[in-house]
Amino acid sequence: MIKASSAEIRRILENINRFNSTPEEGEGTTRVLFTEPELESRKYIKSEMEAVGLKVTEDSVGNIFGTLEGSDPTLSPVWTGSHIDTVLNAGMFDGMAGIVCGIEALKMISRSGITPKRSISVIVYTSEEPTRFGLSCLGSRTMAGALTPEDMKRLTDKDGKTLYGVLTELGYDVSALPDVVRREGDVFASLELHIEQNRHLDDAKIPVGIVRGICAPTNYEVVIKGVQGHAGGMAMEDRHDAFMACCRFALELEKLAKSSQGEYVTATIGRVRVYPGAVNVIPGYVGFSVDIRSIDMESKEIIMAQLEKVKAAVEEEYGVSVEMRLDNHDIPLKCSETVLNVVRDVCKDTETESMELISGPYHDSLFVGRFAPAAMIFVPSKNGISHSKDEWTDFEDLATGTQVLAESLC
Ligand code: GLV
Ligand code: MN
Ligand code: MN
């Protein structure tokens, strides 16, 4: 197998990074699903796929496939890939690394004169980030049958546009959405490369992580209704302050996550809206998001049950109402031992130092793993930073990961 080119990986990553709706200094990269930069980046990636001889196709939810055809078209294919959409003010690696390294891996395989028996596709999954529609992994979720056309008609962005409507406007054939769904046996195996987004590899100075499992999110939208009032006029004991109630709820949630017996549990309140939002007004209404993750369903369910008690206690203490709407409750993935063993063997054979990890962040593989044996390879994130303009991965580390990816895919 020829060597992965860190220069090529860098070139394509830097080119993708130019498709950015926040290009101002210090603002990082923002590429939200089906905005102009995201649509332009799709065209660019298709051109890079074609340049290395991949056959490009796209399904009805916008998942893009770049396929290196195998010698036996009757066999189920092998998949790799990730996403090109970002959170707001992100870096240039989360998601994109998996696509660029996937293209490089397929180029290495074909330029080494290897014709794999099975076709291998590098996939750009539509909108792994929930940035536009508030729900993650739209493309891979649809493939897993967990996002139906009916769901897409209900899913709206901040302007009230539905995913179904946007797909239709862009000319996707929504009547073919049922064909996006994959069943067991349709895909032989899947291996996604991603940056770690945590500090284990960087701390240990190990270039490759072998991912045993992927945590899954549970998301609530919470609304606390209190009583709006005058910040100077109302005594502390007379208040029903929705924001103070929210703070108590948040601190209790933090305690629940920190004291959980689960192997890996996180809880985050990442978006809070305080109304009416003025310095001299006691907030009457607060809306906020809750994101709870774990590698096992049971730990999440224990926290969910305890949160019901927190809700009741906060209502009682502050004289407010707390409404919790469960929007999403995804199932964590245990990665396929068969695929993991392939990666373990490649690391051994190529004398690449590796380390076994679980992923706190979710990935498209969480959903691909519902219908195919799936696993992931991680490469180091500097200081574990991600979802930030300061996200960084060395191109040499990406090349090392690509080498392991390429050897594992064929
Ligand atoms: C994906 O970006 C996540 O939030 O885990
Ligand atoms: Mn992300
Ligand atoms: Mn990602």
Side-chain angles (χ1 to χ4, degrees), residues 82-123:
S82 199
H83 60 101
I84 47 162
D85 67 308
T86 69
V87 294
L88 304 177
N89 309 103
M92 61 181 268
F93 299 94
D94 172 5
M96 287 64 80
I99 289 159
V100 174
C101 296
I103 294 173
E104 176 68 10
L106 296 197
K107 185 180 88 186
M108 289 159 65
I109 294 169
S110 69
R111 302 248 164 113
S112 298
I114 300 166
T115 307
K117 251 184 7 197
R118 295 175 185 277
S119 295
I120 310 175
S121 295
V122 53
I123 299 164

Side-chain angles (χ1 to χ4, degrees), residues 10-23 28-31 36-38 40-41 44 48 91-92 96:
R10 176 178 189 162
R11 178 184 69 80
I12 304 181
L13 277 170
E14 287 180 348
N15 281 340
I16 297 175
N17 202 43
R18 297 204 173 95
F19 302 103
N20 178 9
S21 55
T22 52
T29 302
T30 304
R31 200 165 39 248
E36 195 61 30
E38 203 257 5
E40 289 301 313
S41 73
Y44 168 69
E48 287 292 350
M92 61 181 268
M96 287 64 80

Side-chain angles (χ1 to χ4, degrees), residues 2 39 63 80 168 195 204 224 237 247 264 287 321 343 354 366 373 386:
I2 62 172
L39 289 166
N63 293 313
T80 186
T168 310
I195 58 166
I224 300 188
E237 57 275 18
C247 294
Y264 188 81
S321 73
V343 182
S354 67
L366 189 65
S386 184

Side-chain angles (χ1 to χ4, degrees), residues 17-309:
N17 202 43
R18 297 204 173 95
F19 302 103
N20 178 9
S21 55
T22 52
E24 306 77 22
E25 184 65 31
E27 293 294 307
T29 302
T30 304
R31 200 165 39 248
V32 177
L33 176 67
F34 296 148
T35 56
E36 195 61 30
E38 203 257 5
L39 289 166
E40 289 301 313
S41 73
R42 285 169 171 268
K43 281 191 213 148
Y44 168 69
I45 285 160
K46 288 178 187 170
S47 75
E48 287 292 350
M49 286 172 164
E50 275 159 356
V52 298
L54 305 181
K55 184 177 144 207
V56 176
T57 53
E58 191 167 355
D59 70 17
S60 303
V61 71
N63 293 313
I64 299 168
F65 296 72
T67 303
L68 175 66
E69 304 232 31
S71 57
D72 187 347
T74 65
L75 296 177
S76 55
V78 171
W79 282 7
T80 186
S82 199
H83 60 101
I84 47 162
D85 67 308
T86 69
V87 294
L88 304 177
N89 309 103
M92 61 181 268
F93 299 94
D94 172 5
M96 287 64 80
I99 289 159
V100 174
C101 296
I103 294 173
E104 176 68 10
L106 296 197
K107 185 180 88 186
M108 289 159 65
I109 294 169
S110 69
R111 302 248 164 113
S112 298
I114 300 166
T115 307
K117 251 184 7 197
R118 295 175 185 277
S119 295
I120 310 175
S121 295
V122 53
I123 299 164
V124 178
Y125 296 100
T126 290
S127 198
E128 188 255 9
E129 305 290 3
T131 321
R132 177 156 183 186
F133 285 99
L135 183 69
S136 62
C137 301
L138 300 181
S140 52
R141 199 181 283 270
T142 306
M143 286 172 162
L147 181 67
T148 65
E150 287 312 305
D151 297 331
M152 291 179 193
K153 288 178 190 167
R154 283 190 293 267
L155 207 57
T156 50
D157 66 7
K158 66 174 179 7
D159 301 322
K161 289 191 170 187
T162 66
L163 174 58
Y164 192 89
V166 173
L167 287 169
T168 310
E169 251 172 50
L170 289 169
Y172 287 101
D173 178 8
V174 284
S175 70
L177 277 169
D179 301 340
V180 174
V181 178
R182 305 300 161 118
R183 291 183 178 77
E184 256 179 70
D186 286 354
V187 177
F188 181 70
S190 165
L191 183 60
E192 175 178 1
L193 181 146
H194 204 281
I195 58 166
E196 186 197 349
Q197 307 179 287
N198 201 330
R199 52 184 323 133
H200 300 103
L201 293 173
D202 193 39
D203 284 354
K205 300 289 166 241
I206 289 179
V208 168
I210 301 176
V211 182
R212 283 191 290 112
I214 306 172
C215 293
T218 292
N219 300 97
Y220 289 98
E221 204 50 46
V222 185
V223 168
I224 300 188
K225 288 184 189 147
V227 179
Q228 188 175 325
H230 195 293
M234 188 173 278
M236 293 308 284
E237 57 275 18
D238 292 338
R239 297 184 181 206
H240 302 283
D241 183 329
F243 181 66
M244 293 300 175
C246 163
C247 294
R248 170 56 56 90
F249 185 102
L251 292 173
E252 294 300 325
L253 175 64
E254 184 189 34
K255 274 192 222 154
L256 291 177
K258 282 185 166 169
S259 62
S260 165
Q261 300 299 304
E263 183 186 353
Y264 188 81
V265 176
T266 58
T268 307
I269 294 181
R271 192 192 59 237
V272 181
R273 296 195 176 115
V274 182
Y275 298 90
V279 259
N280 57 350
V281 182
I282 300 163
Y285 182 106
V286 175
F288 58 97
S289 60
V290 172
D291 175 304
I292 302 166
R293 304 194 191 192
S294 175
I295 194 65
D296 65 275
M297 211 58 177
E298 197 196 341
S299 302
K300 291 203 292 183
E301 275 160 6
I302 291 172
I303 293 189
M304 290 164 81
Q306 289 167 329
L307 262 193
E308 290 297 329
K309 292 189 190 145

